[in-house]
Amino acid sequence: MQLRTFLTATAAAATLLTLGLGTAQAQAYKSEYRMSLVVGTAFPWGKGGEIWAHKVKEKTQGRINIKLYPGVSLIQGDQTREFSALRQGVIDMAVGSTINWSPQVKQLNLFSLPFLMPDYAAIDALTQGEVGKQLFATLDKAGVVPLAWGENGYRELSNSKHAVKSPADMKGLKIRVVGSPLFVDTFTALGANPTQMSWADAQPAFASGAVDGQENPMSIFTAAKLHNVNQKYLTLWGYVADPLVFVVNKEVWNSWTPADREAVRQAAIEAGKEQIAIARKGLVEPGQPLFKDIEANGVTVTRLSPQEREAFVKATRPVYAKWKAQIGADLVDKAEKAIAARKP
Ligand code: X2X
């Protein structure tokens, strides 16, 4: 290129930039977008991310390409930092658990209030109703673009020592919990010895016996084969469930054309619906066939009578009251009402 042509071209580019035309939408697209996930495609959660990525590629004719980063590898496995990394743009998009983001967005602790949601209809009444909309507005304010709900699931209690039927049975059990202090409060109230640990660190800790127990959805329990790391006693208590949220970093979102944004949103909504169905498989059909598979692996499954369950509810009421205030009494009231009015 001749010097003169070069100078003219440079001047033209500078003028375009000054006019704000240098950020033409098509130019701003990255060749690849990074999606963060705690677990991979062997899990319903990771599958949801994969479905979303496929649908986005299809609906945008390949303009938006997504690569999956399971194991929260973009943040060295520290799932409690995922939300901050999303906001900062270290992560472009994610399918994340409300639990992992609750250290930054306190309202998301709602789903971790012990024994708030008695059944799947109760989860749906929150995520698919006014409460879900309000939480999306909160997430938007916090700096990300929320698009759809998914589901990790009801978190059931397992341990290596003995069957748990009452809070007394939990006395002294060392239980791995996730990154919200609400979980420490709940397990302390039940007489257990909770210890906070990332999912990556938890599995070797079960294997070595450094911790006795944990709580996670059945889809995680089976796909991670927790029966192979001493988790031989399982109690179905349905005390909390964590939804998943499909989100995009705000700058990334703004760099896309309105049509592509709509395509990504539709893809997330469709993927969320499919992901929830996968997460509930074996748990919502008559007889809950998934538990037969779990029992076949040598796991003792304990189902609580309503009275037995009530003892756990009672023991955790003070934690519920304390955290209701921290989450926001208005939001929790709204959630309680939505659940009371739910359709089966
Ligand atoms: O760490 C967990 O227990 C997990 C995998 O369920 C979450 O990321 C919330």
Side-chain angles (χ1 to χ4, degrees):
M1 198 194 291
Q2 288 193 338
L3 182 61
R4 201 167 158 174
T5 322
F6 173 75
L7 287 176
T8 314
T10 310
T15 311
L16 278 176
L17 276 175
T18 316
L19 292 172
L21 301 173
T23 50
Q25 279 148 335
Q27 265 171 276
Y29 280 47
K30 301 187 194 182
S31 59
E32 194 168 271
Y33 293 91
R34 314 203 290 179
M35 183 195 291
S36 179
L37 302 156
V38 175
V39 291
T41 52
F43 297 70
W45 182 344
K47 202 99 213 108
E50 184 182 53
I51 296 170
W52 188 21
H54 279 155
K55 285 181 187 286
V56 166
K57 187 168 193 168
E58 209 175 85
K59 288 181 197 287
T60 64
Q61 284 87 43
R63 282 187 296 282
I64 296 175
N65 287 297
I66 299 164
K67 183 170 176 199
L68 272 48
Y69 288 83
V72 266
S73 56
L74 295 167
I75 40 171
Q76 295 75 48
D78 184 356
Q79 66 218 60
T80 59
R81 281 174 39 217
E82 190 177 54
F83 192 80
S84 308
L86 254 169
R87 204 160 32 190
Q88 290 157 3
V90 174
I91 293 169
D92 296 317
M93 53 215 296
V95 180
S97 162
T98 50
I99 296 173
N100 295 331
W101 300 351
S102 61
Q104 289 82 34
V105 187
K106 67 172 200 287
Q107 291 88 340
L108 292 180
N109 280 297
L110 174 70
F111 301 100
S112 305
L113 279 175
F115 303 101
L116 167 69
M117 301 179 294
D119 49 32
Y120 285 108
I123 304 178
D124 295 341
L126 300 188
T127 57
Q128 309 306 314
E130 277 311 306
V131 167
K133 279 196 195 119
Q134 187 173 327
L135 288 170
F136 271 17
T138 303
L139 284 169
D140 184 79
K141 254 206 198 135
V144 300
V145 182
L147 299 175
W149 293 96
E151 187 164 291
N152 196 15
Y154 274 105
R155 303 181 69 89
E156 311 295 3
L157 180 69
S158 75
N159 82 92
S160 61
K161 300 283 188 198
H162 53 245
V164 170
K165 273 200 146 178
S166 70
D169 295 329
M170 292 177 72
K171 193 149 199 67
L173 282 182
K174 192 159 180 191
I175 305 288
R176 174 268 173 173
V177 292
V178 273
S180 165
L182 166 44
F183 287 81
V184 173
D185 286 356
T186 298
F187 283 85
T188 302
L190 290 167
N193 176 12
T195 178
Q196 235 173 55
M197 211 178 270
S198 74
W199 175 239
D201 291 341
Q203 296 167 84
F206 305 144
S208 72
V211 304
D212 305 317
Q214 61 91 45
E215 45 79 67
N216 246 303
M218 289 303 94
S219 64
I220 300 269
F221 189 94
T222 51
K225 298 187 170 52
L226 293 191
H227 60 274
N228 285 341
V229 285
N230 304 316
Q231 298 302 295
K232 293 291 189 195
Y233 300 94
L234 180 67
T235 297
L236 307 183
W237 62 343
Y239 84 126
V240 306
D242 51 330
L244 302 175
V245 191
F246 291 62
V247 302
V248 175
N249 163 277
K250 230 167 216 180
E251 257 176 64
V252 167
W253 180 257
N254 289 332
S255 73
W256 292 334
T257 63
D260 281 346
R261 284 178 213 163
E262 197 43 39
V264 173
R265 182 192 301 282
Q266 278 314 317
I269 291 168
E270 291 171 21
K273 282 206 186 96
E274 290 179 30
Q275 191 277 331
I276 290 172
I278 298 169
R280 293 183 185 181
K281 197 158 183 291
L283 297 168
V284 288
E285 300 86 346
Q288 298 187 302
L290 187 64
F291 292 117
K292 296 211 175 64
D293 301 345
I294 291 174
E295 280 171 332
N297 289 328
V299 175
T300 303
V301 178
T302 301
R303 292 173 175 82
L304 302 176
S305 70
Q307 293 89 327
E308 285 166 343
R309 192 170 182 273
E310 196 50 36
F312 290 92
V313 176
K314 216 170 146 210
T316 53
R317 274 334 262 185
V319 178
Y320 188 106
K322 171 185 166 186
W323 280 86
K324 180 171 181 172
Q326 297 204 16
I327 292 163
D330 283 357
L331 178 64
V332 179
D333 279 339
K334 201 183 270 186
E336 289 167 351
K337 284 199 188 103
I339 289 168
R342 76 190 180 283
K343 298 196 180 70

